[in-house]
Amino acid sequence: MSTVPEFSWAGTLAIVVLSAVLGAGVAVSSVARSRHGWRRVARLAVVPGMVMFAGQGLPFLPAFVVGGLLLRRRHPIARLATLVVVVGPAVLLWWSERLDEYTMLSAPYRVQIGLLLGMPLLATVLAFAGDLVWGRRVAVGGQSASPERARSSLLSDSSLEAPAGPA
């Protein structure tokens, strides 16, 4: 992505630290969501780690946000949109970086394969992380035949509730 790539310890450590902060935010949000139902404030735990998407990480932001929202949806349009946000940035970057702008020679195959395989793989992992933060909830425990208990099965184990009726 850069015409003059260079390695620096500060840049590498910043990427590692920001990734850890984002991962910790995803974990906090996911645990709070699974234990206490929808905790909207807990979703804010990922905001400090989203600084990672500034600059060169920007192509991965749609995979985390949009891909996380649509990942487990079954509608064909949602699946197509998820595929576009996961694979689309890699294809666009490959298209723009496949030729050297000065010599008009093809980029090395390792760079092209890295763009076409590595970026969608990282975007898929980020989409699953986004799903932990913004995706659909999964019912806790099995569904009950009783409509009253089925409604409460998303938040608690309805088998532990006292049966209704005369005492």
Side-chain angles (χ1 to χ4, degrees), residues 4-95:
V4 183
E6 60 183 56
F7 170 82
S8 72
W9 280 107
T12 302
L13 290 175
I15 291 170
V16 170
V17 167
L18 287 172
S19 298
V21 169
L22 181 68
V26 168
V28 166
S29 178
S30 178
V31 167
R33 184 177 157 193
S34 67
R35 290 197 179 163
H36 304 293
W38 278 101
R39 295 290 180 160
R40 295 173 194 248
V41 175
R43 284 192 247 167
L44 294 176
V46 298
V47 171
M50 289 180 74
V51 173
M52 181 178 70
F53 298 118
Q56 299 293 332
L58 189 62
F60 292 110
L61 184 62
F64 182 68
V65 177
V66 178
L69 285 169
L70 301 177
L71 187 67
R72 295 188 192 204
R73 306 278 180 176
R74 293 188 177 165
H75 196 275
I77 294 175
R79 289 189 178 191
L80 178 66
T82 304
L83 183 68
V84 166
V85 298
V86 167
V87 178
V91 172
L92 288 175
L93 284 173
W94 170 79
W95 185 262

Side-chain angles (χ1 to χ4, degrees), residues 89-150:
V91 172
L92 288 175
L93 284 173
W94 170 79
W95 185 262
S96 67
E97 298 293 324
R98 75 185 193 289
L99 293 176
D100 185 10
E101 61 188 40
Y102 299 111
T103 62
M104 295 308 284
L105 295 175
S106 178
Y109 288 121
R110 63 181 169 77
V111 173
Q112 293 185 30
I113 291 171
L115 284 172
L116 290 174
L117 296 178
M119 285 190 65
L121 180 66
L122 289 172
T124 302
V125 170
L126 285 169
F128 276 106
D131 180 61
L132 291 174
V133 177
W134 292 294
R136 300 175 80 176
R137 284 190 300 179
V138 179
V140 178
Q143 289 288 332
S144 175
S146 167
E148 293 83 22
R149 290 184 180 180

